[in-house]
């Protein structure tokens, strides 16, 4: 699965997906007065999450390194664009610390056999997909604790639960994010804070579309065969999941009715992990 966005920093009740985004019904603005921070929010899952949270009344920090796209999303939803490179620790430590909701979504992918995997690329992926979420939560959890309420939604992956060849850095990072999420669930419970992972299969995002050629080379198959033999081979439902479907689950995890749900990994994988 590739849930996160190709732009490095660019994944129920009250959450029926509409065309292109997860949206709350107009009469159900249950997040009015809340602030949300979404990374990788300029496109794909991140954008869908930002739109869904805004439709429920939240003020949204649209965090991405793609400046123009982030500003366009922020303008469309009445949010605030925060342009940042999440691989830079100092820049992450300067992000807003007053979010009641954090959606850790940003990421990147590299496909190569482990013995050919560039060490610097492995390190970069860990910085963006593990260290950045840690630093963001380190800054925002005190605010959530002070308010007695918070929601952490980590856009993980089926690869946080299962491994695939040629994705050592991505699989490592997603497994680490799962562990971080569970620690936050345990520490935050007494403060009204929940922390959960969403684990999609392959999502129709730029990150997935951009890796077709690399997958073809790695597996020795044609680009046309990648969809059938790589992306959908292990799923029972033979289609990609849409960003709006992932965002709908994220939005549900921010409702009061999900208040007893914490420390879980929610597969949206089309039956992949049913095997």
């Amino acid at each position: 699965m590739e849930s996160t966005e190709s732009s490095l920093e660019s994944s129920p009740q009250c959450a029926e997906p509409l065309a292109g985004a997860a949206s709350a019904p107009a009469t159900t603005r249950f997040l009015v007065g809340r602030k949300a921070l979404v990374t990788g929010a300029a496109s794909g899952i991140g954008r869908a999450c930002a739109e869904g949270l805004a439709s429920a009344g939240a003020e949204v920090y649209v965090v991405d390194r793609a400046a123009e796209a982030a500003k366009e999303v922020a303008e469309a939803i009445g949010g605030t664009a925060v342009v940042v490179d999440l691989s830079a620790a100092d820049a992450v430590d300067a992000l807003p610390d007053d979010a009641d909701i954090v959606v850790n979504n940003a990421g990147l992918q590299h496909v190569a056999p482990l013995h050919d995997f560039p060490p610097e690329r492995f390190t970069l992926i860990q910085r963006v997909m593990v260290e950045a979420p840690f630093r963001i939560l380190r800054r925002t959890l005190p605010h959530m604790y002070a308010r007695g309420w918070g929601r952490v939604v980590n856009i993980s992956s089926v690869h946080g639960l299962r491994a695939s060849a040629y994705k050592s850095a991505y699989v490592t990072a997603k497994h680490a994010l799962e562990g971080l999420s569970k620690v936050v669930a345990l520490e935050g419970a007494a403060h009204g804070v929940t922390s959960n992972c969403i684990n999609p299969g392959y999502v129709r995002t730029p990150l997935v579309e951009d890796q077709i050629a690399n997958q073809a080379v790695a597996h020795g198959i044609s680009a046309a065969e990648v969809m059938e033999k790589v992306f959908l081979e292990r799923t029972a439902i033979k289609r990609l999941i849409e960003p709006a479907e992932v965002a709908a689950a994220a939005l549900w995890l921010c409702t009061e009715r999900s208040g007893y749900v914490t420390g879980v990994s929610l597969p949206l994988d089309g039956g992949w992990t049913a095997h």
Side-chain angles (χ1 to χ4, degrees):
M1 166 283 160
E2 275 44 274
S3 66
T4 47
E5 303 314 302
S6 59
S7 58
L8 185 67
E9 283 63 68
S10 113
S11 129
Q13 175 203 358
C14 308
E16 296 180 7
L18 302 180
S23 299
T27 56
T28 316
R29 292 174 59 81
F30 58 92
L31 293 178
V32 170
R34 306 292 190 189
K35 292 184 178 180
L37 185 151
V38 183
T39 66
S43 65
I45 295 169
R47 176 169 187 156
C49 287
E51 292 171 340
L53 291 164
S55 76
E59 298 179 42
V60 181
Y61 293 116
V62 178
V63 179
D64 206 291
R65 76 168 187 172
E68 292 306 314
K71 292 173 183 176
E72 187 273 325
V73 173
E75 182 177 351
I77 67 173
T80 302
V82 183
V83 180
V84 65
D85 179 350
L86 291 183
S87 69
D90 290 346
V92 176
D93 287 343
L95 286 171
D97 62 0
D98 61 346
D100 306 291
I101 299 164
V102 169
V103 179
N104 286 311
N105 167 72
L108 66 160
Q109 178 62 277
H110 188 86
V111 179
L114 195 141
H115 62 276
D116 287 332
F117 210 99
E120 66 278 6
R121 195 69 172 171
F122 185 96
T123 299
L124 174 64
I125 289 173
Q126 308 315 307
R127 284 180 182 161
V128 173
M129 296 170 61
V130 182
E131 184 176 348
F134 160 75
R135 288 181 176 273
I136 290 169
L137 293 172
R138 184 175 179 272
R139 286 178 55 76
T140 55
L141 282 173
H143 168 77
M144 297 182 196
Y145 290 175
R147 297 196 72 181
W149 191 94
R151 295 290 184 267
V152 177
V153 180
N154 299 300
I155 306 300
S156 181
S157 164
V158 70
H159 282 125
L161 306 173
R162 299 288 189 272
S164 287
Y166 312 121
K167 297 183 178 180
S168 56
Y170 190 89
V171 171
T172 297
K174 290 303 188 184
H175 274 69
L177 185 63
E178 296 281 329
L180 178 64
S181 181
K182 289 177 173 63
V183 171
V184 174
L186 296 178
E187 293 185 7
H191 305 280
V193 176
T194 66
S195 176
N196 296 287
C197 287
I198 297 176
N199 303 74
Y202 286 98
V203 186
R204 194 183 305 279
T205 68
L207 186 62
V208 167
E209 294 169 351
D210 290 347
Q211 70 173 279
I212 291 177
N214 289 336
Q215 288 277 11
V217 171
H219 290 274
I221 59 178
S222 70
E225 293 176 293
V226 170
M227 183 68 72
E228 177 184 355
K229 295 185 177 180
V230 178
F231 290 169
L232 301 180
E233 191 273 333
R234 286 168 286 191
T235 65
I237 300 174
K238 299 300 182 181
R239 68 171 176 83
L240 300 179
I241 186 172
E242 300 296 331
E245 295 176 276
V246 181
L251 193 59
W252 178 78
L253 287 172
C254 296
T255 65
E256 293 301 329
R257 290 191 178 184
S258 68
Y260 201 70
V261 180
T262 196
V264 306
S265 302
L266 176 61
L268 301 180
D269 61 3
W272 185 328
T273 54
H275 291 283

